[in-house]
Amino acid sequence: MTTKSKTLSNRKIRFRTFLHNTIFDVLKHRGYKETDSDLDWDIHWADVRWIREVFDRVHLKDHQRVNHYRNHYELTRKDLMVKNVKRYIKDHPFDGVPLTYRLPSEYQLFVEAFKKHPGVYIAKPVGRAQGRGIFLFDDIKKISKWRNNVGAENYVVSKYIENPLLIGGKKFDLRVYVLVTNYSPLTAYLYRSGFARFSSHRYSMKDIDNVFVHLTNHSLQKHSNKYSKDTGGCKWSCQSIRQFVLSRYGPAATEQLFNDMNDLMVHTLCSVQNVMINDKHCFELYGFDVLIDENLKSWLIEVNASPSLTASTPEDYELKHNLLDDMMTIVDLEKRLRGNEKTIGGFDLICKGKPKFGGTHTSMLGCFNDRERQLKKLFYNNYKKKLSR
């Protein structure tokens, strides 16, 4: 054990954060001490502005940790993710990303694609979040302002998945959490618990302008007259979604769906592995948004660098508190892990080193999350091995 490790284990770990929501509660719950010091901290839960403006101008000590990679936007900005995935697919073909183009830079390419593959497309602004500025269209004239490439906001347009899997006649997508602790070698963990966000209105392609039908963002759905404040909107756990698929389609199809989802997320991470600035001080908790269609095919919608940590219900708070607590156990400021663990709390290792696809890693997403029992067993076994040395 290094001198710094001994020092950390003998004093309170110090944290800095601009947030006072679930992450603040978790850090306090773990016994860490808050500080407002610019650099005298062990972990900084930073916003992307600090990463952009400060990170490159400071020198961090070996033990210090930050919650973003320098150029995290290569994966989490919609247009850059599209660019990186397209480049990756040329040498590593995989399915699960809708036909997508960047506007205005790929306007002419999109026009040609629209002629070959007409139908409904969805347009999303690159620089906005929470569903703002998104619209559906089936007429090329609705995006004509991007033709001249003058003063138009940057957007991405994707072929709209018109046949989503429905539950109770309503569309939903999944929010899935993936933790990356290293890009060289790629080391990624998938959290077993996540949730499905439902639209508040029954699904129909007859009205493509109705955001309450087609978009599941909570920030939009809460304005619907069918939204329930008491329940925080309609959400199901990933466990409930897996059970629904299992009961309707059987175990083989269910396992295939969730294993394919694993592969989709690992391929997406691989697409930025060579451009991401790896740094031993950094880790990142990503929020993957995934859609399942009626053929049980999973589609990548987008990846979020700052998934919401604010809870709308007690169940939501418990999920996010446990998620972040297990994340901090993996970050391991306390130096309690051995480095060869495949399951830590509710997280399961899905990639370490050269990625393997085709069901090599059985997906545990939506399976029983017995995190407390798992952690007790893990630390007890690690303690016994330490004593036996």
Side-chain angles (χ1 to χ4, degrees), residues 277-333:
I277 301 172
N278 196 50
D279 190 319
K280 65 182 179 181
H281 300 101
C282 301
F283 64 94
E284 191 109 33
L285 180 68
Y286 296 106
F288 276 71
D289 291 342
V290 179
L291 178 75
I292 303 171
D293 71 19
E294 63 183 6
N295 299 313
L296 295 191
K297 177 178 176 58
S298 53
W299 295 90
L300 178 67
I301 305 303
E302 63 184 43
V303 184
N304 299 276
S306 301
S308 173
L309 302 180
T310 302
S312 56
T313 65
E315 294 77 15
D316 196 27
Y317 180 85
E318 181 181 13
L319 185 156
K320 291 175 180 176
H321 190 283
N322 293 343
L323 162 76
L324 295 169
D325 194 28
D326 291 346
M327 175 199 71
M328 290 308 306
T329 299
I330 294 176
V331 174
D332 196 24
L333 295 174

Side-chain angles (χ1 to χ4, degrees), residues 95-96 163-167 172 174 176 190 238-265 290-300 358-359 361-367:
D95 205 1
N163 62 331
L165 180 64
L166 305 179
I167 297 179
F172 69 92
L174 297 179
V176 180
L190 174 66
C238 280
Q239 285 87 342
S240 296
I241 295 296
R242 187 163 187 143
Q243 286 291 63
F244 172 84
V245 176
L246 181 64
S247 65
R248 176 170 287 190
Y249 299 97
T254 302
E255 185 170 337
Q256 184 68 53
L257 167 64
F258 283 87
N259 287 349
D260 288 347
M261 213 177 295
N262 256 26
D263 287 354
L264 177 61
M265 289 181 280
V290 179
L291 178 75
I292 303 171
D293 71 19
E294 63 183 6
N295 299 313
L296 295 191
K297 177 178 176 58
S298 53
W299 295 90
L300 178 67
H361 291 280
T362 299
S363 178
M364 302 302 291
L365 178 63
C367 292

Side-chain angles (χ1 to χ4, degrees), residues 180-192:
V180 174
T181 58
N182 203 336
Y183 270 100
S184 182
L186 179 61
T187 307
Y189 301 82
L190 174 66
Y191 202 62
R192 294 187 181 192

Side-chain angles (χ1 to χ4, degrees), residues 66-343:
V66 181
N67 65 309
H68 291 296
Y69 286 90
R70 278 179 169 82
N71 58 336
H72 59 88
Y73 45 79
E74 292 285 351
L75 180 60
T76 58
R77 210 177 87 170
K78 300 178 186 72
D79 57 338
L80 295 181
M81 185 193 80
V82 170
K83 180 192 72 174
N84 288 316
V85 167
K86 282 184 174 181
R87 181 182 60 239
Y88 174 81
I89 286 177
K90 291 179 181 178
D91 297 320
H92 308 87
F94 76 98
D95 205 1
V97 179
L99 183 67
T100 304
Y101 293 88
R102 293 171 287 157
L103 300 183
S105 62
E106 295 181 327
Y107 177 81
Q108 292 302 329
L109 289 175
F110 171 66
V111 170
E112 293 303 314
F114 187 88
K115 292 176 181 177
K116 294 178 182 177
H117 309 282
V120 178
Y121 284 76
I122 184 168
K124 302 178 181 180
V126 167
R128 288 189 264 177
Q130 298 182 328
R132 292 188 292 266
I134 297 177
F135 63 92
L136 276 63
F137 65 94
D138 56 6
D139 185 345
I140 199 73
K141 294 178 182 177
K142 291 191 175 181
I143 61 163
S144 59
K145 68 177 181 180
W146 280 277
R147 180 191 305 160
N148 298 323
N149 194 12
V150 178
E153 184 178 1
N154 289 328
Y155 263 68
V156 294
V157 291
S158 303
K159 193 76 173 68
Y160 186 63
I161 307 303
E162 299 184 34
N163 62 331
L165 180 64
L166 305 179
I167 297 179
K170 295 179 181 179
K171 178 184 175 180
F172 69 92
D173 64 11
L174 297 179
R175 167 56 58 87
V176 180
Y177 297 100
V178 176
L179 173 66
V180 174
T181 58
N182 203 336
Y183 270 100
S184 182
L186 179 61
T187 307
Y189 301 82
L190 174 66
Y191 202 62
R192 294 187 181 192
S193 300
F195 57 89
R197 305 173 298 186
F198 284 78
S199 62
S200 55
H201 294 226
R202 293 181 68 85
Y203 185 76
S204 171
M205 286 302 296
K206 294 180 181 179
D207 183 6
I208 65 172
D209 295 323
N210 190 337
V211 295
F212 301 131
V213 170
H214 298 284
L215 305 183
T216 63
N217 307 70
H218 177 261
S219 55
L220 292 175
Q221 291 293 333
K222 67 183 181 181
H223 297 295
S224 167
N225 58 11
K226 296 185 179 181
Y227 174 82
S228 171
K229 291 183 179 180
D230 295 334
T231 61
C234 185
K235 288 184 180 180
W236 278 22
S237 67
C238 280
Q239 285 87 342
S240 296
I241 295 296
R242 187 163 187 143
Q243 286 291 63
F244 172 84
V245 176
L246 181 64
S247 65
R248 176 170 287 190
Y249 299 97
T254 302
E255 185 170 337
Q256 184 68 53
L257 167 64
F258 283 87
N259 287 349
D260 288 347
M261 213 177 295
N262 256 26
D263 287 354
L264 177 61
M265 289 181 280
V266 174
H267 273 302
T268 305
L269 294 172
C270 287
S271 73
V272 297
Q273 186 178 11
N274 292 333
V275 298
M276 197 66 70
I277 301 172
N278 196 50
D279 190 319
K280 65 182 179 181
H281 300 101
C282 301
F283 64 94
E284 191 109 33
L285 180 68
Y286 296 106
F288 276 71
D289 291 342
V290 179
L291 178 75
I292 303 171
D293 71 19
E294 63 183 6
N295 299 313
L296 295 191
K297 177 178 176 58
S298 53
W299 295 90
L300 178 67
I301 305 303
E302 63 184 43
V303 184
N304 299 276
S306 301
S308 173
L309 302 180
T310 302
S312 56
T313 65
E315 294 77 15
D316 196 27
Y317 180 85
E318 181 181 13
L319 185 156
K320 291 175 180 176
H321 190 283
N322 293 343
L323 162 76
L324 295 169
D325 194 28
D326 291 346
M327 175 199 71
M328 290 308 306
T329 299
I330 294 176
V331 174
D332 196 24
L333 295 174
E334 297 88 350
K335 303 299 178 186
R336 293 187 292 176
L337 300 179
R338 297 171 58 84
N340 60 351
E341 296 85 355
K342 294 185 177 180
T343 299

